[in-house]
Amino acid sequence: MPHVTASLKLKVTPLSKRLMMSLMVATLWAGAADAQIKVGVVTSSTGPIALVGIPQKNTIPLLPKSAAGQTIEYIPLDDGSDPTAAVSAFKKLIEEQKVDAIIGPSGSPSAMGVIAFAAESGLPMLAPVGTAAVILPMDDKKKWVFKTTQNDDLVARALVANMVKAGVKTVGFIGTADAFGDNWQKVFTAEAGKFGIKVVAAERFQRQDTSLTAQSLKILASAPEAVLIAAPGSSSVLPQTTLYDQGYRGKIYQTHGAALPDFLKLGGKKVEGTILAASLMLVLDEMPDSNPSKKVAVDYVAAYEKLYGSKPATFGANVLDAGLLLERAIPVALKSGEPGTPGFRAALRDALENVKELPGAQGIYNMTPADHSGFDERGLEMITVKNGNWALLK
């Protein structure tokens, strides 16, 4: 036995010691790799809502690359503006990539269709979409979703306040036939009714429609004093230009879904005078330096323009703000678990729910268990189209 023991002792020196050290280093590197935070990003950079998805995809390289000493890897996928493809992308990110959070998808219908998968997997979903239906009414599934755009009711209150000030009593409504339009019709009708404003006609259309003659004629027949168009991205243009071509010259209001440069390019003179409530990003030059979101927005626009040669639509800021929220929440979540574990993802959700006074590119975030958007009036400006550009409404 002593001879055997001596032989074993000889085998652990000196080469085996170096091998053991190499194995220990490899193990440490593997642990570091496993600890890397993975974030999936699902955008609609192709398809009918590509004008929304492209600036969102383009924003990915500008997202925070680390938090609390941990690197953040972003895994981008395109859903082609297709809700079914969005589901497939979510499943791939959850099952194959083992992500800790997902930013996306770009479209409201797609976002509504993937909530269950995020909830069942126990990972936070940061939805850069318009409809508040992704977080309201709050329930056990929607508690996993955080929304990086202003809620419909916040925007509706601002628009209705302007209508009241202008003496508007009758409004025609035209919105997309999906979750975005559904929620807007409900929220706006309720808010307008509080002030005696009547919706005298309500029409719907598909985002890919190329003619809205029938819908616009019905709106015109009701003789409204104003029209509200509830549509995201490029789909917000056709209803307005069609009404203009048919002779309508009353007030036209848009939601924050129209807040993109292409609205001005595609609409031209036919969208002059449009009124909308949207983020300060549209009118940065008119904002005071004291606004806590101005620097965030200015830096984002400058970085985007340097990278792509053009300014981003506000939809890109929805993804930027999602990254800033994660950057704030990750250090807190790391105290409760390692990346890649259910404990970390649950702690990340809890940390996101408790973000306070975080300046984003569009406003200040104050999340609560009941409010997973977190915006207040500081996240909105009343804006109009003047001489082909955005301008503060005065």
Side-chain angles (χ1 to χ4, degrees):
M1 287 298 293
H3 176 72
V4 175
T5 304
S7 298
L8 288 174
K9 286 182 178 179
L10 287 172
K11 289 180 181 178
V12 297
T13 59
L15 178 60
S16 56
K17 282 187 176 180
R18 292 200 297 269
L19 290 172
M20 288 172 66
M21 287 298 295
S22 297
L23 286 170
M24 288 175 64
V25 171
T27 301
L28 289 172
W29 275 106
D34 289 341
Q36 184 181 49
I37 298 163
K38 291 185 176 183
V39 177
V41 187
V42 180
T43 61
S44 299
S45 50
T46 59
I49 60 170
L51 287 180
V52 175
I54 289 172
Q56 293 183 343
K57 178 185 178 182
N58 287 351
T59 297
I60 297 173
L62 305 177
L63 296 177
K65 294 174 175 58
S66 64
Q70 298 284 345
T71 58
I72 305 173
E73 177 189 0
Y74 298 97
I75 304 169
L77 292 176
D78 173 28
D79 66 15
S81 305
D82 179 8
T84 302
V87 170
S88 297
F90 258 62
K91 287 182 176 180
K92 182 174 183 178
L93 290 168
I94 293 168
E95 297 169 4
E96 297 179 21
Q97 297 294 337
K98 312 295 183 184
V99 296
D100 291 304
I102 297 179
I103 299 172
S106 301
S108 294
S110 295
M112 293 298 294
V114 297
I115 292 173
F117 297 99
E120 289 169 8
S121 302
L123 84 163
M125 166 182 162
L126 293 97
V129 300
T131 182
V134 294
I135 56 172
L136 295 173
M138 185 61 68
D139 57 27
D140 286 342
K141 291 183 179 179
K142 292 179 181 179
K143 75 177 185 179
W144 290 94
V145 185
F146 298 84
K147 180 170 171 283
T148 56
T149 64
Q150 300 85 350
N151 274 351
D152 302 343
D153 58 348
L154 181 68
V155 181
R157 285 198 298 270
L159 294 178
V160 170
N162 183 271
M163 292 177 186
V164 171
K165 185 178 180 180
V168 172
K169 293 295 183 183
T170 58
V171 179
F173 175 89
I174 180 167
T176 49
D178 55 27
F180 187 91
D182 290 344
N183 201 62
W184 256 102
Q185 184 174 354
K186 180 179 70 174
V187 169
F188 175 75
T189 301
E191 184 66 24
K194 296 176 185 178
F195 298 89
I197 299 174
K198 185 179 180 181
V199 177
V200 292
E203 294 295 318
R204 309 298 286 278
F205 68 100
Q206 300 295 331
R207 297 188 188 200
Q208 67 271 23
D209 284 350
T210 57
S211 173
L212 298 180
T213 300
Q215 293 95 324
S216 61
L217 286 174
K218 291 178 181 178
I219 295 288
L220 287 169
S222 68
E225 295 170 309
V227 173
L228 171 62
I229 297 170
S234 59
S235 61
S236 62
V237 179
L238 186 59
Q240 187 162 346
T241 56
T242 303
L243 284 166
Y244 183 93
D245 289 343
Q246 292 181 342
Y248 183 77
R249 295 295 183 270
K251 289 181 176 293
I252 291 192
Y253 292 82
Q254 290 269 1
T255 72
H256 50 326
L260 74 165
D262 289 278
F263 177 80
L264 301 176
K265 294 176 185 177
L266 295 171
K269 293 182 179 180
K270 296 177 183 180
V271 299
E272 190 76 10
T274 303
I275 297 172
L276 70 160
S279 79
L280 75 162
M281 275 191 61
L282 296 185
V283 287
L284 279 179
D285 292 343
E286 297 187 66
M287 301 308 300
D289 291 341
S290 58
N291 187 306
S293 289
K294 182 176 181 178
K295 185 179 186 310
V296 180
V298 167
D299 289 348
Y300 166 57
V301 171
Y304 190 102
E305 199 165 12
K306 181 179 180 180
L307 197 59
Y308 300 106
S310 62
K311 293 183 179 180
T314 57
F315 305 116
N318 300 341
V319 167
L320 178 79
D321 285 358
L324 297 178
L325 284 164
L326 287 170
E327 183 183 38
R328 172 70 70 87
I330 284 170
V332 179
L334 286 169
K335 297 175 183 178
S336 299
E338 289 291 319
T341 65
F344 174 74
R345 293 163 187 157
L348 188 58
R349 190 214 76 86
D350 293 345
L352 286 167
E353 194 171 75
N354 286 284
V355 167
K356 303 299 179 190
E357 289 297 304
L358 173 67
Q362 306 173 90
I364 309 299
Y365 289 90
N366 281 287
M367 300 290 187
T368 70
D371 183 2
H372 279 199
S373 174
F375 282 111
D376 54 27
E377 286 73 13
R378 292 174 293 177
L380 279 181
E381 301 293 337
M382 290 304 299
I383 297 169
T384 188
V385 179
K386 184 177 181 181
N387 298 322
N389 290 301
W390 305 113
L392 278 173
L393 184 64
K394 298 174 182 178

